[in-house]
Amino acid sequence: MEATIASIVAAAAPLVFAAVGETITEKAGVVNLSLDGSIALSAMASFAVAFLTGSVVLGFAVGAILSALVAMLVAFSGIRLRLNQVAVGFVLTLLLAALAQFLGNPFVRQPGPSVRPMSVPLLSEIPFVGRILFAQNISVYASLVLIVVVAWVFRRTRVGLELAAVGERPEAAHARGISVSRYRFGAAAVGGALVGIAGAAFSLDVKLGWSDTQVAGFGWIALAIVIFGGWRPVWVALGCYLFGALQVLALKLQPVFPGVAQILPSLPFPLMIFTLVVVNSDRLQRLGERFPFLGRLLMSDAPAALGTNFEV
Amino acid sequence: MKRALRAVPAVWSVLAALVVSVGLLALAGAPPFEALVLVLDGAVGDGGRMADTLMSWVPLTLASAGLVVTFVAGLWNIGVEGQVIAGAIGATWAARTIPGDGLVVIPAALAVGVVAGAVWALAAGVLKTRGGVNEIFGGLGLGFVAQSVATYLIIGPWKRAGIASTSGTEPFREEVWLPTVGGTRLSPVAVLLAVAVIFLVWALLRGTRFGLRLKAVGANPASARLLGVPTEATVLRAFALGGGLAGLAGAVLATGIQHKLVPAIAGGRGFLAILVVLLAAYRIVWVAPIALFFAILSVGSAQLQLRLDLDSSIGGVLQGILVLFVILIGGWQALYRRGEP
């Protein structure tokens, strides 16, 4: 049991990076739809760099920088060029996936360096929890720390509140002297870097090596999970683990019900649609007002200014 | 002057795409210009290749024409990929279950494909108008659902006798294949369908009340409603028509190209159609030539892989760079015209 949970936590780490990263970006009102291609490019580039230099750290760094630049380009085209962020992000998705496939051709299925397992002494010996949380590798630890840090920043810090203000009411934020564009560029850069780390974690940790088919689709899953989690870091992370669990379940069901096994991993998409219907339903909103607990569970709407371009 | 200005992004973008692709090809250790010539040769070098290119053009054009309808109404129908798959599933169902010869079954399969695509698009439409779900995410989600339904059918209920594999269903009986000419894969019916659809959408947008309503809703849904345009009905009709044409694309893929249902039946054609329409700036007259250019790139770069052992994704890179630059340069120009450097 704990071995299965431990493997889910490990396998979901890249998705946590990507989904929490996109949550940060979207919280500021920027939608970076390029995730799927961006993850592919970073996964390829990180592996290529680590393969050529032997340095996993350098691989992660290159992946993070590439995807941060991509996210900045999406933000730039919205903020400065006043273009449709969705259009630019979508084109980038297709372009970067093709680019990764083309440039990554020489590296396909090559064995290369990877993140080494690193148990935390003492803590890993705690029964049950130890094996799940503390007998992993540094990329998994980082994903766990990230969830806690981002949740804390969103709820408890000035930066987090101003970020939310910029995503919800840019006019009001601007009037209070907050620089909307600076926050949006910053959120794009940080979120994009995390997306790049997700790509690197795929090719250097979870899937080991590069081939264009093995990361395809995870960017879209991450985008769906951000919505499913209602733009709340902890819920988003739980969504990632749910997806990881579905994947494990699918693997186990494969020999018995091959058809059902194929469908399970796409469950996040209907769940995403369901979430969107729920948060937009007046009746459920009223129900949520009457029962605060239920309200907190169900109600988490998109940042009001998501995907719009703010003009001073 | 205005026309010249509008042409500038196109010229620069083509140049940029060329420069980048030459650079990439050189990086991959291939002779760049020879490779580009090979792409052209691979797509139009002889009759058989031209036939392949045209058959790749047909579904791309059909899906793009459908997208023009939804884009004009201001709808981001990203679910188009799923609607293509739904159409292919519908056509496959018809081809497998309806008895009779091609004269009966082929039209029926195409019709069921249209209906299936329209229904799938309407689901995204109803989610938008009634559920408040943005069509981008609703459509995207439904697209992945369609994909897994196709995979489920292929390895489940429609699996080949004895083996459950993801390589596809049993091929349809040959009389249900779209008839071809000249020993090539060219199906005149499919090409005629695409041409007819282009004309239909052109006429619809140019000279009908429905076309006007689409444009009104696309330009400003709030004021369209105030002016008495039935906004919800118009949006749903746009989805139905756009999805129906995407479904027709899927039906052509199933009956005219694959002759069976495979998991990758849409193969990103719906997504590629979005690039076509973005490049065409939602104008139907530009869809046919741009889709042809894209088809040449796609078919030609597959040949590149065979002959120079280069990855065929260079076609996708070229298409993506082209569209990205057109959008970015267009935005830059608009900025410049507003007088902000």
Side-chain angles (χ1 to χ4, degrees):
Chain A
M1 182 65 191
E2 67 239 60
T4 311
I5 299 179
S7 73
I8 290 171
V9 171
L15 209 52
V16 170
F17 284 119
V20 173
E22 178 70 11
T23 304
I24 297 172
T25 307
E26 290 192 9
K27 199 79 178 171
V30 177
V31 55
N32 176 10
L33 209 66
S34 75
L35 247 56
D36 209 51
S38 200
I39 288 177
L41 185 69
S42 287
M44 186 282 294
S46 305
F47 180 75
V49 167
F51 179 82
L52 295 172
T53 64
S55 163
V56 171
V57 175
L58 205 59
F60 269 88
V62 167
I65 291 168
L66 272 178
S67 283
L69 288 176
V70 171
M72 296 282 278
L73 178 59
V74 175
F76 175 80
S77 56
I79 296 167
R80 289 273 176 271
L81 302 183
R82 314 232 175 113
L83 289 166
N84 184 337
Q85 296 166 11
V86 170
V88 175
F90 184 80
V91 176
L92 279 169
T93 297
L94 299 192
L95 168 61
L96 299 179
L99 193 63
Q101 198 185 334
F102 183 75
L103 292 176
N105 190 306
F107 302 101
V108 171
R109 289 191 194 85
Q110 298 268 17
S114 61
V115 182
R116 276 190 216 93
M118 191 182 76
S119 284
V120 181
L122 294 177
L123 287 177
S124 60
E125 275 151 45
I126 305 171
F128 198 73
V129 182
R131 178 129 180 231
I132 294 169
L133 296 181
F134 301 111
Q136 304 273 10
N137 63 40
I138 196 153
S139 144
V140 178
Y141 302 140
S143 74
L144 296 170
V145 172
L146 178 75
I147 301 166
V148 178
V149 168
V150 175
W152 175 73
V153 169
F154 275 15
R155 289 183 70 122
R156 294 267 180 258
T157 68
R158 185 180 190 89
V159 170
L161 294 176
E162 291 188 347
L163 189 76
V166 164
E168 294 289 346
R169 302 265 312 271
E171 305 80 8
H174 177 73
R176 298 216 41 181
I178 300 169
S179 168
V180 175
S181 339
R182 192 179 299 166
Y183 261 100
R184 289 190 167 174
F185 273 121
V190 172
L194 289 168
V195 169
I197 289 175
F202 269 122
S203 61
L204 295 173
D205 176 16
V206 172
K207 306 258 178 171
L208 298 188
W210 162 250
S211 102
D212 59 279
T213 49
Q214 68 187 11
V215 293
F218 279 101
W220 297 120
I221 299 262
L223 280 162
I225 289 176
V226 172
I227 297 173
F228 171 66
W231 293 268
R232 294 166 294 185
V234 174
W235 286 87
V236 167
L238 286 176
C240 297
Y241 295 128
L242 174 69
F243 175 73
L246 287 173
Q247 275 187 311
V248 170
L249 192 64
L251 218 60
K252 299 237 153 109
L253 286 179
Q254 182 76 36
V256 204
F257 307 105
V260 178
Q262 286 289 334
I263 289 185
L264 275 183
S266 61
L267 211 58
F269 294 107
L271 281 177
M272 165 191 77
I273 293 174
F274 176 73
T275 313
L276 284 173
V277 171
V278 167
V279 298
N280 287 308
S281 151
D282 290 339
R283 203 173 300 157
L284 281 165
Q285 294 277 11
R286 279 198 295 277
L287 206 66
E289 278 158 25
R290 197 167 323 147
F291 304 102
F293 172 74
L294 202 66
R296 271 200 302 278
L297 201 70
L298 293 175
M299 252 39 71
S300 188
D301 218 341
L306 184 60
T308 60
N309 294 328
F310 171 65
E311 299 187 20
V312 181
Chain B
M1 183 60 199
K2 203 176 166 197
R3 181 169 291 246
L5 253 179
R6 207 182 278 168
V8 169
V11 173
W12 280 110
S13 309
V14 171
L15 275 178
L18 267 178
V19 169
V20 174
S21 54
V22 165
L24 282 173
L25 287 166
L27 198 69
F33 293 100
E34 197 190 322
L36 289 177
V37 173
L38 270 178
V39 168
L40 264 185
D41 183 55
V44 294
D46 61 43
R49 288 181 196 149
M50 275 192 216
D52 287 349
T53 304
L54 268 179
M55 285 312 280
S56 156
W57 173 78
V58 169
L60 190 58
T61 301
L62 289 172
S64 304
L67 278 171
V68 168
V69 175
T70 43
F71 267 117
V72 163
L75 304 165
W76 265 82
N77 184 18
I78 283 193
V80 59
E81 179 89 357
Q83 292 145 24
V84 173
I85 297 172
I89 293 175
T92 302
W93 174 81
R96 288 172 62 95
T97 44
I98 298 177
D101 61 2
L103 232 53
V104 181
V105 183
I106 291 176
L110 295 179
V112 175
V114 170
V115 172
V119 167
W120 213 247
L122 271 175
V126 171
L127 276 172
K128 182 187 172 72
T129 57
R130 289 292 158 93
V133 177
N134 185 305
E135 75 273 16
I136 293 172
F137 291 106
L140 202 61
L142 287 167
F144 283 96
V145 172
Q147 179 67 67
S148 47
V149 169
T151 314
Y152 167 75
L153 288 169
I154 288 166
I155 62 172
W158 290 351
K159 68 173 179 236
R160 304 174 79 152
I163 36 165
S165 89
T166 48
S167 66
T169 60
E170 202 80 53
F172 309 151
R173 52 188 198 277
E174 252 179 72
E175 53 188 352
V176 187
W177 298 10
L178 285 184
T180 55
V181 288
T184 66
R185 281 183 278 271
L186 182 71
S187 158
V189 179
V191 175
L192 279 177
L193 266 177
V195 173
V197 161
I198 290 271
F199 187 75
L200 191 105
V201 171
W202 177 81
L204 181 85
L205 291 177
R206 198 175 171 85
T208 67
R209 179 190 293 257
F210 177 56
L212 269 178
R213 283 180 171 170
L214 283 179
K215 288 181 200 164
V217 171
N220 190 335
S223 46
R225 195 198 310 270
L226 286 178
L227 290 170
V229 177
T231 320
E232 185 181 356
T234 308
V235 163
L236 290 180
R237 278 184 202 138
F239 268 115
L241 182 56
L245 292 178
L248 184 58
V252 168
L253 281 164
T255 56
I257 293 169
Q258 298 284 352
H259 305 131
K260 59 179 178 179
L261 185 66
V262 296
I265 187 91
R269 280 181 187 80
F271 288 151
L272 193 58
I274 296 178
L275 293 199
V276 169
V277 175
L278 285 176
L279 201 53
Y282 319 147
R283 285 166 300 182
I284 186 69
V285 285
W286 282 98
V287 161
I290 291 172
L292 184 64
F293 179 56
F294 274 32
I296 289 173
L297 283 179
S298 299
V299 174
S301 33
Q303 286 289 323
L304 206 58
Q305 179 150 21
L306 295 176
R307 295 215 233 162
L308 285 183
D309 197 27
L310 282 173
D311 200 293
S312 64
S313 52
I314 187 73
V317 177
L318 268 168
Q319 292 157 345
I321 289 176
L322 202 59
V323 181
L324 183 67
F325 274 82
V326 165
I327 293 179
L328 290 181
I329 295 175
W332 206 283
Q333 276 194 318
L335 199 68
Y336 200 75
R337 270 203 298 279
R338 283 196 299 265
E340 309 165 34

